Amino acid sequence: MPSLIARALAERLGRPLDAAEIGMSTVRENAEDLRLDFARDTAGAVRNAVTFWSTVEHLGRRRFLSRAFAVGAYGAPVTRWLGVPVDSGAAHHGTQRVGREDLAELWQAAQEAQRRDSKYGGGNWRSCSVTRCLARRATPLLHGSYSDEIGRGLFSVTAELARVAGWSAVDTGHHDIAQRHFIQALRMAKAGGAVDIGCHVMANMALQTLLRGYPDEAVDMVQGAYDRSRGRAGHRVLGFAKLVEARAQAKAGEARAAAAALGASERCLEQAETDTEEPAWIRYFTHARLSADAVEVHRDLRNPGAAWRWNTQAAAMSPADFARSVGLRLTVLATTHLQEGNLDQGLVLGNRAIDTLGRVASARALDYVADVTAALAPWNRERAVADLLHRARTELTLASQDLEVVSRGGAATRPHS
């Protein structure tokens, strides 16, 4: 109990806090045991990562019961990566020989995991299997023998796998686990000398920080990632960082700064057309994706007209392949119509969102639907509003139940496609 109280206070204070600091007696928890530390040397980085992956794979997420998010936990990792984003060497002598075919297998697993996450949500057992890949497939390779070139490739792909695992944890509401995955991902990117992957991981960390209610801290993180990576990361990677900044600035109510960041993101995308060697893991960031996020930017700025104009530029996505993204976008559009007092259109889009999101296991989806239900408060006596609220409570409960089953280590039995 003292530890849980300390964690709750830490989240509010925005910095790590242990029970001793609040005058309560308990065994002090070591930050290394929690895998929130950012090792200075590569060997320590590998040791921390494989221990954490093994813990999650064998004990499951139930070991981490708080789901707490402490923005201060990102302080040391961010500072150390910004200071020195690249390790000096990656060669290692171990048991088995690691080759390019091993790296290709891991990259394929990362791409497949990202696709499954978009289609089924982070709580589906298919998406959760990436942690098993890290523990059972990547770990033995990290202990193997490899040259500097192969080693950098190995660290880079494990960084991407850990990032995907982190985002799946964000989607299920396990923000404590997500922070640990992201920290390991950032450290692996440093070991691999992959500044572009490090920048992308930092953008994901900033987006999580924003979703947890810390827009100012998110701006600081993603601006640092962008500035440190200019000239060393592709334009599409830099554009995504600027998009995250735009979302954070909008949430903070900074309309001018949000517009500037969104414009910079657009320019980066235009410049990306000339990039000859672009990594596959960032190709999801297109102008259609930027436009969809711009809708959310202007919803947060309470500018429905601008949101609708951006929505006309956002390409239609298949609910069968991108159920979560389509559903989230529908909730954002529903909220913009309710901001304008258009109840009928808000209800139409809200019901369509529930139809779509009822097929995915995502805590984030529930949060977005909650935004719609909050915006419906002025009409809570209307029968159609009551019907939508009832649908949200009952139909989305099925998805949340699947989410809990998978989080405890089981597999949901209800089909998702």
Side-chain angles (χ1 to χ4, degrees):
M1 186 60 69
S3 297
L4 294 176
I5 293 172
R7 288 187 186 184
L9 292 173
E11 182 170 352
R12 299 295 292 177
L13 290 172
R15 67 174 180 85
L17 185 72
D18 64 21
E21 291 183 77
I22 59 174
M24 301 187 76
S25 176
T26 185
V27 177
R28 294 188 59 159
E29 292 180 331
N30 189 312
E32 182 174 342
D33 293 335
L34 295 175
R35 301 307 165 203
L36 288 169
D37 59 325
F38 195 84
R40 294 184 184 278
D41 62 287
T42 305
V46 171
R47 183 170 58 252
N48 287 345
V50 299
T51 300
F52 171 62
W53 297 332
S54 177
T55 299
V56 177
E57 205 265 326
H58 290 295
L59 298 182
R61 291 172 172 171
R62 61 185 178 276
R63 174 172 177 174
F64 304 89
L65 297 177
S66 71
R67 301 194 183 188
F69 174 85
V71 68
Y74 279 149
V78 168
T79 300
R80 291 183 183 176
W81 185 85
L82 290 175
V84 184
V86 175
D87 282 353
S88 58
H92 184 262
H93 180 72
T95 51
Q96 68 181 97
R97 189 72 183 172
V98 182
R100 297 185 186 279
E101 63 278 5
D102 297 305
L103 304 187
E105 179 187 342
L106 292 180
W107 277 117
Q108 182 178 357
Q111 293 167 11
E112 181 64 16
Q114 189 178 54
R115 187 193 67 80
R116 290 193 299 254
D117 178 74
S118 297
K119 184 172 183 177
Y120 299 108
N124 188 271
W125 68 268
R126 297 173 178 87
S127 301
C128 295
S129 64
V130 68
T131 304
R132 187 177 304 113
C133 178
L134 284 165
R136 299 186 184 183
R137 187 71 185 104
T139 293
L141 297 177
L142 289 170
H143 292 313
S145 289
Y146 38 84
S147 65
D148 184 73
E149 180 186 0
I150 294 296
R152 290 189 182 279
L154 178 59
F155 288 130
S156 296
V157 69
T158 53
E160 173 61 8
L161 280 164
R163 185 202 64 81
V164 174
W167 191 249
S168 292
V170 167
D171 200 47
T172 61
H174 287 88
H175 290 279
D176 52 349
I177 296 178
Q179 284 194 277
R180 290 162 173 81
H181 275 306
F182 285 147
I183 289 172
Q184 308 314 320
L186 189 63
R187 189 59 188 84
M188 290 293 103
K190 182 177 185 293
V195 176
D196 53 349
I197 293 179
C199 179
H200 193 221
V201 171
M202 281 267 283
N204 279 247
M205 292 162 61
L207 190 51
Q208 182 198 21
T209 301
L210 168 63
L211 293 173
R212 299 311 295 159
Y214 299 94
D216 291 332
E217 290 81 355
V219 168
D220 292 339
M221 290 170 61
V222 78
Q223 282 182 341
Y226 175 86
D227 289 340
R228 194 69 173 92
S229 305
R230 278 189 298 181
R232 308 178 75 174
H235 291 104
R236 203 175 297 270
V237 175
L238 296 173
F240 182 74
K242 278 297 177 184
L243 179 64
V244 174
E245 182 190 343
R247 289 186 56 175
Q249 296 281 18
K251 189 66 76 172
E254 300 291 341
R256 185 172 298 179
L262 195 58
S265 182
E266 278 194 288
R267 290 191 294 274
C268 285
L269 271 180
E270 292 171 0
Q271 293 171 311
E273 298 301 323
T274 63
D275 289 348
T276 56
E277 296 182 4
E278 188 176 62
W281 46 262
I282 193 60
R283 289 176 190 159
Y284 71 90
F285 180 50
T286 61
H287 193 274
R289 166 63 193 270
L290 180 145
S291 301
D293 279 37
V295 176
E296 191 164 346
V297 166
H298 289 92
R299 178 207 63 178
D300 292 338
L301 292 172
R302 301 191 71 82
N303 188 346
W308 299 334
R309 288 192 295 273
W310 274 103
N311 186 58
T312 61
Q313 301 180 48
M317 294 182 289
S318 167
D321 295 325
F322 303 99
R324 183 184 59 200
S325 296
V326 170
L328 297 185
R329 183 171 160 191
L330 287 169
T331 66
V332 173
L333 287 171
T335 306
T336 61
H337 281 281
L338 294 172
Q339 287 174 345
E340 282 284 277
N342 188 346
L343 176 60
D344 291 342
Q345 188 63 16
L347 288 172
V348 169
L349 293 169
N351 279 296
R352 285 176 57 194
I354 292 173
D355 291 339
T356 304
L357 294 174
R359 302 198 302 271
V360 302
S362 169
R364 196 156 52 98
L366 301 181
D367 291 340
Y368 273 69
V369 172
D371 291 338
V372 177
T373 60
L376 285 168
W379 300 279
N380 59 8
R381 294 182 180 273
E382 299 283 342
R383 176 60 183 271
V385 172
D387 290 342
L388 184 145
L389 295 177
H390 176 73
R391 288 194 66 204
R393 285 193 300 269
T394 57
E395 296 181 29
L396 294 182
T397 298
L398 293 174
S400 64
Q401 287 173 347
D402 286 352
L403 189 70
E404 289 302 316
V405 169
V406 176
S407 295
R408 291 194 299 269
T413 56
R414 191 169 59 91
H416 290 271
S417 58

Short mmCIF file of all heavy atoms in Angstrom, two decimals, residues 103-128:
data_model
loop_
_atom_site.label_atom_id
_atom_site.label_comp_id
_atom_site.label_asym_id
_atom_site.label_seq_id
_atom_site.Cartn_x
_atom_site.Cartn_y
_atom_site.Cartn_z
N LEU A 103 17.87 -11.02 -38.95
CA LEU A 103 17.34 -9.66 -38.89
C LEU A 103 16.09 -9.54 -39.76
O LEU A 103 15.11 -8.89 -39.35
CB LEU A 103 18.39 -8.65 -39.37
CG LEU A 103 19.74 -8.66 -38.64
CD1 LEU A 103 20.59 -7.48 -39.12
CD2 LEU A 103 19.56 -8.59 -37.13
N ALA A 104 16.10 -10.16 -40.92
CA ALA A 104 14.94 -10.10 -41.81
C ALA A 104 13.71 -10.72 -41.14
O ALA A 104 12.59 -10.21 -41.27
CB ALA A 104 15.25 -10.82 -43.13
N GLU A 105 13.92 -11.80 -40.42
CA GLU A 105 12.81 -12.46 -39.71
C GLU A 105 12.21 -11.53 -38.66
O GLU A 105 10.99 -11.43 -38.52
CB GLU A 105 13.31 -13.75 -39.05
CG GLU A 105 12.23 -14.49 -38.28
CD GLU A 105 12.81 -15.66 -37.50
OE1 GLU A 105 13.93 -16.10 -37.81
OE2 GLU A 105 12.12 -16.13 -36.56
N LEU A 106 13.07 -10.83 -37.92
CA LEU A 106 12.58 -9.93 -36.88
C LEU A 106 11.87 -8.71 -37.49
O LEU A 106 10.86 -8.25 -36.95
CB LEU A 106 13.73 -9.48 -35.98
CG LEU A 106 14.36 -10.55 -35.10
CD1 LEU A 106 15.48 -9.96 -34.26
CD2 LEU A 106 13.32 -11.21 -34.20
N TRP A 107 12.40 -8.20 -38.59
CA TRP A 107 11.73 -7.06 -39.23
C TRP A 107 10.35 -7.46 -39.73
O TRP A 107 9.38 -6.69 -39.63
CB TRP A 107 12.57 -6.52 -40.39
CG TRP A 107 13.64 -5.57 -39.97
CD1 TRP A 107 14.99 -5.72 -40.11
CD2 TRP A 107 13.46 -4.30 -39.33
NE1 TRP A 107 15.66 -4.64 -39.59
CE2 TRP A 107 14.75 -3.74 -39.11
CE3 TRP A 107 12.34 -3.57 -38.92
CZ2 TRP A 107 14.93 -2.50 -38.50
CZ3 TRP A 107 12.53 -2.33 -38.32
CH2 TRP A 107 13.81 -1.81 -38.11
N GLN A 108 10.25 -8.68 -40.25
CA GLN A 108 8.95 -9.16 -40.71
C GLN A 108 7.98 -9.27 -39.54
O GLN A 108 6.80 -8.92 -39.65
CB GLN A 108 9.10 -10.51 -41.40
CG GLN A 108 7.79 -11.05 -41.96
CD GLN A 108 7.97 -12.37 -42.70
OE1 GLN A 108 9.08 -12.87 -42.84
NE2 GLN A 108 6.89 -12.94 -43.17
N ALA A 109 8.47 -9.74 -38.40
CA ALA A 109 7.63 -9.85 -37.20
C ALA A 109 7.16 -8.48 -36.74
O ALA A 109 6.01 -8.31 -36.32
CB ALA A 109 8.40 -10.56 -36.08
N ALA A 110 8.05 -7.48 -36.80
CA ALA A 110 7.69 -6.13 -36.38
C ALA A 110 6.61 -5.54 -37.30
O ALA A 110 5.65 -4.92 -36.83
CB ALA A 110 8.92 -5.24 -36.38
N GLN A 111 6.76 -5.74 -38.61
CA GLN A 111 5.78 -5.22 -39.55
C GLN A 111 4.42 -5.89 -39.37
O GLN A 111 3.37 -5.24 -39.40
CB GLN A 111 6.29 -5.40 -40.98
CG GLN A 111 7.51 -4.55 -41.30
CD GLN A 111 8.18 -4.96 -42.60
OE1 GLN A 111 7.65 -5.75 -43.38
NE2 GLN A 111 9.38 -4.44 -42.83
N GLU A 112 4.44 -7.20 -39.14
CA GLU A 112 3.20 -7.93 -38.93
C GLU A 112 2.52 -7.50 -37.64
O GLU A 112 1.29 -7.35 -37.57
CB GLU A 112 3.47 -9.44 -38.92
CG GLU A 112 2.23 -10.31 -38.75
CD GLU A 112 1.25 -10.20 -39.90
OE1 GLU A 112 1.63 -9.70 -40.98
OE2 GLU A 112 0.10 -10.61 -39.72
N ALA A 113 3.31 -7.27 -36.60
CA ALA A 113 2.76 -6.83 -35.31
C ALA A 113 2.11 -5.46 -35.45
O ALA A 113 1.04 -5.21 -34.88
CB ALA A 113 3.85 -6.80 -34.25
N GLN A 114 2.74 -4.56 -36.20
CA GLN A 114 2.17 -3.24 -36.41
C GLN A 114 0.85 -3.34 -37.17
O GLN A 114 -0.13 -2.65 -36.83
CB GLN A 114 3.16 -2.37 -37.18
CG GLN A 114 2.76 -0.91 -37.28
CD GLN A 114 3.80 -0.07 -37.99
OE1 GLN A 114 4.19 -0.39 -39.12
NE2 GLN A 114 4.27 0.98 -37.36
N ARG A 115 0.78 -4.21 -38.15
CA ARG A 115 -0.46 -4.39 -38.91
C ARG A 115 -1.56 -4.95 -38.03
O ARG A 115 -2.72 -4.50 -38.07
CB ARG A 115 -0.21 -5.33 -40.10
CG ARG A 115 -1.40 -5.45 -41.05
CD ARG A 115 -1.22 -6.60 -42.02
NE ARG A 115 -1.25 -7.89 -41.34
CZ ARG A 115 -2.37 -8.50 -40.97
NH1 ARG A 115 -3.55 -7.94 -41.18
NH2 ARG A 115 -2.31 -9.67 -40.37
N ARG A 116 -1.24 -5.95 -37.20
CA ARG A 116 -2.25 -6.55 -36.32
C ARG A 116 -2.75 -5.54 -35.30
O ARG A 116 -3.93 -5.53 -34.94
CB ARG A 116 -1.66 -7.77 -35.62
CG ARG A 116 -1.41 -8.97 -36.52
CD ARG A 116 -1.13 -10.22 -35.71
NE ARG A 116 0.07 -10.05 -34.88
CZ ARG A 116 1.23 -10.62 -35.13
NH1 ARG A 116 1.38 -11.36 -36.20
NH2 ARG A 116 2.26 -10.44 -34.32
N ASP A 117 -1.85 -4.71 -34.80
CA ASP A 117 -2.25 -3.69 -33.82
C ASP A 117 -3.27 -2.74 -34.43
O ASP A 117 -4.26 -2.38 -33.78
CB ASP A 117 -1.01 -2.92 -33.36
CG ASP A 117 -1.36 -1.82 -32.37
OD1 ASP A 117 -1.65 -2.16 -31.21
OD2 ASP A 117 -1.34 -0.64 -32.75
N SER A 118 -3.06 -2.33 -35.69
CA SER A 118 -4.00 -1.44 -36.35
C SER A 118 -5.35 -2.11 -36.59
O SER A 118 -6.40 -1.47 -36.49
CB SER A 118 -3.42 -0.96 -37.70
OG SER A 118 -2.24 -0.21 -37.50
N LYS A 119 -5.32 -3.39 -36.90
CA LYS A 119 -6.56 -4.09 -37.26
C LYS A 119 -7.36 -4.53 -36.05
O LYS A 119 -8.59 -4.40 -36.02
CB LYS A 119 -6.22 -5.30 -38.13
CG LYS A 119 -7.45 -6.06 -38.63
CD LYS A 119 -7.07 -7.12 -39.64
CE LYS A 119 -8.31 -7.82 -40.20
NZ LYS A 119 -7.98 -8.82 -41.22
N TYR A 120 -6.69 -5.05 -35.02
CA TYR A 120 -7.40 -5.67 -33.91
C TYR A 120 -7.34 -4.87 -32.60
O TYR A 120 -8.09 -5.15 -31.68
CB TYR A 120 -6.82 -7.06 -33.62
CG TYR A 120 -6.95 -8.01 -34.77
CD1 TYR A 120 -5.84 -8.40 -35.50
CD2 TYR A 120 -8.19 -8.54 -35.14
CE1 TYR A 120 -5.93 -9.29 -36.56
CE2 TYR A 120 -8.30 -9.42 -36.19
CZ TYR A 120 -7.17 -9.80 -36.91
OH TYR A 120 -7.27 -10.67 -37.96
N GLY A 121 -6.43 -3.89 -32.51
CA GLY A 121 -6.24 -3.19 -31.26
C GLY A 121 -5.14 -3.84 -30.44
O GLY A 121 -4.79 -5.00 -30.63
N GLY A 122 -4.57 -3.05 -29.53
CA GLY A 122 -3.43 -3.54 -28.76
C GLY A 122 -3.76 -4.64 -27.79
O GLY A 122 -2.87 -5.35 -27.33
N GLY A 123 -5.05 -4.80 -27.44
CA GLY A 123 -5.41 -5.82 -26.46
C GLY A 123 -5.64 -7.19 -27.04
O GLY A 123 -5.83 -8.15 -26.30
N ASN A 124 -5.63 -7.30 -28.37
CA ASN A 124 -5.83 -8.61 -28.96
C ASN A 124 -4.60 -9.48 -28.77
O ASN A 124 -3.47 -9.00 -28.78
CB ASN A 124 -6.12 -8.45 -30.46
CG ASN A 124 -6.53 -9.76 -31.11
OD1 ASN A 124 -5.68 -10.49 -31.58
ND2 ASN A 124 -7.82 -10.04 -31.11
N TRP A 125 -4.79 -10.78 -28.60
CA TRP A 125 -3.66 -11.68 -28.32
C TRP A 125 -2.64 -11.67 -29.45
O TRP A 125 -1.46 -11.87 -29.22
CB TRP A 125 -4.16 -13.09 -28.07
CG TRP A 125 -4.75 -13.78 -29.27
CD1 TRP A 125 -6.04 -13.78 -29.65
CD2 TRP A 125 -4.04 -14.56 -30.25
NE1 TRP A 125 -6.20 -14.50 -30.82
CE2 TRP A 125 -5.00 -15.00 -31.20
CE3 TRP A 125 -2.70 -14.93 -30.40
CZ2 TRP A 125 -4.64 -15.79 -32.28
CZ3 TRP A 125 -2.35 -15.71 -31.49
CH2 TRP A 125 -3.31 -16.13 -32.41
N ARG A 126 -3.10 -11.40 -30.68
CA ARG A 126 -2.15 -11.36 -31.80
C ARG A 126 -1.15 -10.21 -31.62
O ARG A 126 0.03 -10.35 -31.90
CB ARG A 126 -2.92 -11.18 -33.12
CG ARG A 126 -3.87 -12.33 -33.45
CD ARG A 126 -4.68 -11.96 -34.68
NE ARG A 126 -5.58 -13.02 -35.10
CZ ARG A 126 -6.81 -13.18 -34.63
NH1 ARG A 126 -7.25 -12.35 -33.69
NH2 ARG A 126 -7.58 -14.16 -35.05
N SER A 127 -1.67 -9.05 -31.16
CA SER A 127 -0.79 -7.91 -30.95
C SER A 127 0.13 -8.13 -29.76
O SER A 127 1.29 -7.72 -29.77
CB SER A 127 -1.64 -6.65 -30.74
OG SER A 127 -2.47 -6.41 -31.85
N CYS A 128 -0.39 -8.78 -28.71
CA CYS A 128 0.42 -9.00 -27.51
C CYS A 128 1.56 -9.99 -27.75
O CYS A 128 2.50 -10.05 -26.95
CB CYS A 128 -0.47 -9.52 -26.38
SG CYS A 128 -1.71 -8.33 -25.83
#
